[in-house]
Amino acid sequence: MTTRAELTEKIVAHKTYHGKKWVDVAAAVGQSKEWTTAALLGQLSLSKEQIAAASGALDLEFSEEEIALLMTPPYRGSLPTAVPTDPLIYRFYEITNVFGSTIKALIEEEFGDGIMSAIDFTMDIERSKDPKGDRVKVTLDGKFLPYKMY
Amino acid sequence: MTTRAELTEKIVAHKTYHGKKWVDVAAAVGQSKEWTTAALLGQLSLSKEQIAAASGALDLEFSEEEIALLMTPPYRGSLPTAVPTDPLIYRFYEITNVFGSTIKALIEEEFGDGIMSAIDFTMDIERSKDPKGDRVKVTLDGKFLPYKMY
Amino acid sequence: MTTRAELTEKIVAHKTYHGKKWVDVAAAVGQSKEWTTAALLGQLSLSKEQIAAASGALDLEFSEEEIALLMTPPYRGSLPTAVPTDPLIYRFYEITNVFGSTIKALIEEEFGDGIMSAIDFTMDIERSKDPKGDRVKVTLDGKFLPYKMY
Amino acid sequence: MTTRAELTEKIVAHKTYHGKKWVDVAAAVGQSKEWTTAALLGQLSLSKEQIAAASGALDLEFSEEEIALLMTPPYRGSLPTAVPTDPLIYRFYEITNVFGSTIKALIEEEFGDGIMSAIDFTMDIERSKDPKGDRVKVTLDGKFLPYKMY
Amino acid sequence: MTTRAELTEKIVAHKTYHGKKWVDVAAAVGQSKEWTTAALLGQLSLSKEQIAAASGALDLEFSEEEIALLMTPPYRGSLPTAVPTDPLIYRFYEITNVFGSTIKALIEEEFGDGIMSAIDFTMDIERSKDPKGDRVKVTLDGKFLPYKMY
Amino acid sequence: MTTRAELTEKIVAHKTYHGKKWVDVAAAVGQSKEWTTAALLGQLSLSKEQIAAASGALDLEFSEEEIALLMTPPYRGSLPTAVPTDPLIYRFYEITNVFGSTIKALIEEEFGDGIMSAIDFTMDIERSKDPKGDRVKVTLDGKFLPYKMY
Amino acid sequence: MTTRAELTEKIVAHKTYHGKKWVDVAAAVGQSKEWTTAALLGQLSLSKEQIAAASGALDLEFSEEEIALLMTPPYRGSLPTAVPTDPLIYRFYEITNVFGSTIKALIEEEFGDGIMSAIDFTMDIERSKDPKGDRVKVTLDGKFLPYKMY
Amino acid sequence: MTTRAELTEKIVAHKTYHGKKWVDVAAAVGQSKEWTTAALLGQLSLSKEQIAAASGALDLEFSEEEIALLMTPPYRGSLPTAVPTDPLIYRFYEITNVFGSTIKALIEEEFGDGIMSAIDFTMDIERSKDPKGDRVKVTLDGKFLPYKMY
Amino acid sequence: MTTRAELTEKIVAHKTYHGKKWVDVAAAVGQSKEWTTAALLGQLSLSKEQIAAASGALDLEFSEEEIALLMTPPYRGSLPTAVPTDPLIYRFYEITNVFGSTIKALIEEEFGDGIMSAIDFTMDIERSKDPKGDRVKVTLDGKFLPYKMY
Amino acid sequence: MTTRAELTEKIVAHKTYHGKKWVDVAAAVGQSKEWTTAALLGQLSLSKEQIAAASGALDLEFSEEEIALLMTPPYRGSLPTAVPTDPLIYRFYEITNVFGSTIKALIEEEFGDGIMSAIDFTMDIERSKDPKGDRVKVTLDGKFLPYKMY
């Protein structure tokens, strides 16, 4: 039996070998590059039509079993350890760990007691040109949900 | 002896009781609200002048020992556990855990192998109006650092 | 300095000694017994008026510093370990651990891919009479939040 | 050899591919959808008759080895880590972590010292219509077991 | 403020210094030595009358605050780490870890699928004389609770 | 290659499918049901004769490799996590965690400073009839080993 | 209240400052230096006479409360983390971790299935002269306890 | 591909089945039984000649791939968890945990500040006859390495 | 499917068996031995040309799938546990743990508040001859990155 | 009682407030800045003369108790968690985690099977000028210790 993790590895290996781009797959699927990449890496579920579009853009046939896996809402979590060891991903953990209390303080000052949704949420990853070295700009945009009184 | 953690609690309690705002303290200090809040919550070090400005804006005297603590680069980390338990901060951990492999894939597709710096880095937290409920917009902007060949 | 945890212990000890009831405090505060208890145990923040009402119902004066603590959105998390050791609380962890995949499967069958909010959420704890031994009935009622496509 | 975890994946993949519903399997088995789903996901054991009924409703033959696995009381626990990473399941962990002391305080105020059973226990998951967005309603109903004096 | 843990240490130190016995305290309290010791070590709650009886047998006055603590159902858990480091207590952890699957297999063979209650439960610790060295005999006696179908 | 864990699963599956009983296997082996079950579940080593007897009682041939595995003292430990997730086994962990300090206090009061052996040790699991619901009675009987002075 | 850990620090500090030796304290107590040091560091309990002898040899008065602590069998465990961070102690952990399977294989080859007792056990730490640099010789001598059949 | 762990299991199974002894393999290899067992269990690397000698003594051919594995310095660590679950190996962990501070205190009293090497180190495991039950004697003999000033 | 970890094992086994040297592979690849080894062990990504050069120097053909793996930026982290168990690697962890606060204090005294980059970073491992025993000299050279004010 | 950790904080606070430098304290003590800083931060023990010299250079009197603490070999370990959260120190952990297998491979290729000592070891932290931004150069220099055959 294929597991979802093995299917993710297969998609990534195929993509690397054939020089496909996430942005092109996303255009075919009709969603943002962030949503499409997350879905194909096993963090979101796709519809049959989206799977067909991705299949075309990647030039990769999926079996019935693989289509079933891509359609099923996955058990989410893309990291093998609670504290990530990959340096790129760790930097985001570090920001949460070091600046987490700051983020909390400023959101609460502006909005009152509540959270930023990680579900009704979009993410945008861009390159911004800079003469001292280009910069990564990650924008997280989530609905504020106040704690409910009852 | 006062610890840095106790000083943080004292500052926050004083601020809550007297209705002070991080944005006003930041204006007095002359840095962004994100930088200033992080510094006063014990994640960055302040100069003597910045401490004096914060003291005025908060209407709170600091002792010599407290000034020494605010000047010392702190042992960073603002969370008591590896996986944060506070729901607001957890959502950022969740984003890193669920979408970490997506962020890595997209930054590497755009920039090649490397990381986004969490040191040469700015953060901006804004409210964006939305008729379906206002949204929190967090922008993380860090220099891309490529892995060095040697 | 008083910490929020010490204030929680003080409130609970006072309440036990004087035989006060959470339901009566809640009636004075004007919120449900679940919300009021959670707030006084340090998981939600109270307004000045709610603090005054609770103070009267508990027959317990709060100092300015304690009022400041009760007003501040707390760093949430009421348990000292990742897996709770208290048998009553452990049973709820056990339900999540053993039946978590069942809950996920049934919510996704009914609603599609998404989560039940733990913020826009109410909880109700009731006694239901039963000749074989009374039963605890806990109802969790949260808004369904679908994953957003973008 | 097939493991119980692999059998769970096989059942779920078959169900997704053929568009079967847990509620229909449950009707055939003659138990609630919550009990039936938990059993087929490897958290409860089934009788030979229940297995035959599920097999029919799912349109899926089980081998003798698979029947043996479905009949054996499993080593329970449906999550790969102590703190769940899947956002849907995490929200229930969050409720236990943040509101655990509240649940304990209110059950003890009403019933005295003891626990809510997680064995003599039923669970009900429903959709409740709401114009602001439908809600998930999870009802946990367990026998109160007082600590025994002896 | 006194915490429950400090009160436990105070009771144990007083008992050691004055050579009091748990069995005598238990006789005064009118419960078994196992129940009484667990209660005074902070794992069960006592009534006012039981506290008065224990106070007499130990020759130790309790303040109002201490009485409140002894009356409150405690947050249970008597060990500082998930795996106990004390050799005496570790041996019981070892039995659970090494023979846990055996205990499960034999209870399920005899009773069907379910658990032994740890709440409706008594424990008895005895010395049994043996010429090769006396033996400790620990008897755990708990109600069998079958998993409920519904 | 077969691992010891896979052999355990094979024995258990065969036993379930053919409706064999641990008590009957134990009678053939000539040891208690507790010892025999623990040995076949991979926690104790068996002699060639005991393996032959078990093989007959289970109606299950073992290969030479499997016999070698059954003869080798295993790396013991029957649980996949430090804190067990299976509810039946967890209840014994809970007893150790909650009542560990009580067990320690009472053994030390009776015997002085030392431990109960978990090696020179027998375990007995029985059903005791009770009109309010049958009870599980687990008796642990281990030699007391005093700390040695030297 | 003094805790056992604080008493340990007090004894060690006093000993360092006054240049006392564990071997001399042991001679006064009438036990080996290994046993005596372990007892005073809070891992074994002392009798009143042993406490008096240690008090004389250390030139340090103990209060009644401190005597009570020294008499009570302690909750054992002398390290703050599961994996020791102190390099001297870590090397013994490393030996257990790296050579544990070797130790197990050789003891079982010589004695059959069982353990070396860590209770009926003596330890001897000696210096052995060596021209290439003196060596530490640690001898662990424990009774072999075979697994019991029953 | 064979892993080093699988090769270890193969060697042990072969040895058990054919009744080979570590002491005889060690004699053929020309090193102590402790060193030889550790090497074949995957904690030390062997030369081509030592592998040939072991192969002869065990009556077991190694493939080229297996010889390569036996020649490579392994990633050391012979236990699957940070705290060992096997009772025989746990007793050595317990000694380190309970008596670690004692070992540290006595080595530092005798040698000054430094460590006992776990690399320039020999281990000797012997049986010592004792009428009360034979004893295991483990001698650890390592070079003392003082902390360097510079 | 081959995983990156399996490919690493294959490269290492081939290298050991054929007596190849990392320094020679590095010369062919045209990078330092540190960079080249890290890349082939799965911590850095290689270009097609570098893979061809390594293939020649190792005398080892790579399949298309293996080339794809070597080209993909890997999920970094070369250790199976948070605290390394291999003694050679542990010594570097020990230096970080014991001397981490010293390194921090001295870098901050010299440079102000910031970090040493582990990305814009080179490492050099050399042998330095010493009559008392040769020494390993590891030089870590990373760009200082100051915390940014904004 | 003062603990060693509190003394470390006191020394650091005093040093920050009075603008003292570790390099000047080291010059007075007559050891390198790395050794001296580590000693005063509680990772190495000092002699009476070194303490007197440090006291002078810091302009800070030590009490007898504090001198005793500075003279005692400390329980080493300068980090509060197994994985450091401070970004500066984390980068060194990251190097160990990501490049640990590389360091091991290259040391073993050059020296054979063994370790680099972390005790007979010196560390040197320097600034190297660089037009693209100054660099931190950390040199670790430790004796190679081969695994001993015996």
Side-chain angles (χ1 to χ4, degrees), chain F residues 45-99:
Chain F
S45 55
L46 294 140
S47 69
K48 267 202 179 133
E49 294 67 35
Q50 292 171 329
I51 295 166
S55 171
L58 284 165
D59 217 345
L60 172 64
E61 288 296 302
F62 294 117
S63 70
E64 292 195 352
E65 190 192 26
E66 290 169 342
I67 293 171
L69 283 173
L70 290 165
M71 289 171 67
T72 307
Y75 185 87
R76 291 176 169 88
S78 69
L79 306 180
T81 49
V83 177
T85 58
D86 184 84
L88 189 152
I89 301 176
Y90 181 81
R91 295 311 182 270
F92 291 88
Y93 176 79
E94 181 176 310
I95 291 170
T96 302
N97 198 319
V98 175
F99 297 107

Side-chain angles (χ1 to χ4, degrees), chain B residues 1 64 68 72 74-77 119, chain J residues 9 16-17 80 84-87 89:
Chain B
M1 251 197 82
E64 293 194 351
T72 307
Y75 186 88
R76 291 176 169 86
I119 306 293
Chain J
E9 286 190 52
T16 306
Y17 194 70
T85 59
D86 184 84
I89 302 177

Side-chain angles (χ1 to χ4, degrees), chain A residues 1 64 68 72 74-77 148, chain D residues 9 16-17 80 84-87 89:
Chain A
M1 250 196 85
E64 293 195 350
T72 307
Y75 184 87
R76 291 176 170 87
K148 192 174 175 131
Chain D
E9 288 191 50
T16 307
Y17 193 71
T85 58
D86 184 84
I89 301 176

